[in-house]
Amino acid sequence: MPVAYVVVTVITIAVNAGMAIADFARAKFVLANSAEVGLPQSWLPTLATLKVAGAVGLAVGLLGVRVIGIAAAIGLVLFFVGAMAAHFRARVFHNIAFPGTYLALAIASLGLVIAQ
């Protein structure tokens, strides 16, 4: 298993799990960002669950179930494309690096799992 695949995927798992925890905890920065982009707070548990599902799926992929890893990476790519769209729609650019970085990690994880 190539080192780049493991490192990038573990980082992607960690950041998504961390953000899911912040979403579930309704951290102040999460609530502020949600309000800025027009996201109802009632969506936070669902979005956090999707992040957890993506992180778990990537972990399962690392453990050898490649198709689950691919599906999880695709799901995270779509999730963060949606997050970027929400930021653009609301014209909130001061913190766009965060969903952009998560999107880049998801894309990298997808490319690396496909390359396996």
Side-chain angles (χ1 to χ4, degrees), residues 5 9 12-13 16 49-76 109 113:
Y5 168 55
T9 303
T12 306
I13 290 167
N16 280 285
T49 301
L50 291 172
K51 291 174 192 171
V52 169
V56 170
L58 289 177
V60 170
L62 273 178
L63 295 173
V65 187
R66 188 170 170 261
V67 68
I68 299 296
I70 291 170
I74 289 169
L76 287 172
S109 294
V113 72

Side-chain angles (χ1 to χ4, degrees), residues 31-102:
L31 296 176
N33 186 58
S34 298
E36 273 190 293
V37 299
L39 178 75
Q41 288 184 18
S42 62
W43 288 20
L44 288 177
T46 301
L47 297 177
T49 301
L50 291 172
K51 291 174 192 171
V52 169
V56 170
L58 289 177
V60 170
L62 273 178
L63 295 173
V65 187
R66 188 170 170 261
V67 68
I68 299 296
I70 291 170
I74 289 169
L76 287 172
V77 167
L78 294 173
F79 181 95
F80 288 110
V81 165
M84 294 289 289
H87 277 257
F88 278 99
R89 178 188 52 79
R91 299 177 196 257
V92 176
F93 302 116
H94 68 90
N95 60 358
I96 198 134
F98 290 102
T101 300
Y102 300 141

